Amino acid sequence: PGVDQKRWSASGTYTTKMTDGWWSTSLAWGRKTVEGERYDAFALESSLNWEDWTLFGRGEMTENYELIAPDHEHEDEEGHHGPTHKVGKVSVGLVRDFRIAPNLKLGVGGLYAFNFVPEEIEPVYGGDPNGAMAFVRLKLE
């Protein structure tokens, strides 16, 4: 609150039909400028759909000053921004869809994420900053 920000973004997507499905890839960039400081973020994601399966992945990198509480050396006037850190994440997953009605599918899937954080903030993220997730989804067609 009370801090002006400028934000820019650009993205592109390529999609093509495959033998039994689709392949789609997107690349995105964003920049946030706060009080003359620039913070960039990038993301690359792709998915391959064939029959009732979807394989997907995403890689991202961001510069962020809101990951940990500030120490007195890095504290801003309002006391809520710490030092800037570059962090990244790569995730891969798989979903299997099951038709449950003429225009409705139930998807069951999972993903695993590899997180990359600088050594100085590893203790905040714990010994193993990676994670896994199982999920279900409903898809209208």
Side-chain angles (χ1 to χ4, degrees), residues 72-137:
H72 293 293
E73 179 183 339
H74 296 95
E75 193 170 327
D76 68 4
E77 293 174 10
E78 298 176 21
H80 60 276
H81 294 142
T84 301
H85 297 284
K86 284 187 181 181
V87 295
K89 182 179 200 175
V90 173
S91 53
V92 294
L94 186 66
V95 181
R96 169 70 161 97
D97 287 317
F98 301 92
R99 184 160 306 281
I100 59 175
N103 294 317
L104 187 65
K105 288 185 177 180
L106 173 71
V108 178
L111 71 81
Y112 193 85
F114 303 89
N115 294 289
F116 304 96
V117 298
E119 283 184 28
E120 61 266 23
I121 65 172
E122 273 184 0
V124 176
Y125 279 78
D128 183 9
N130 301 329
M133 174 176 65
F135 59 89
V136 295
R137 73 173 181 196

Side-chain angles (χ1 to χ4, degrees), residues 23-36:
W23 170 52
S24 188
T25 297
S26 296
L27 177 64
W29 162 82
R31 172 174 284 167
K32 176 170 65 171
T33 303
V34 181
E35 298 174 343

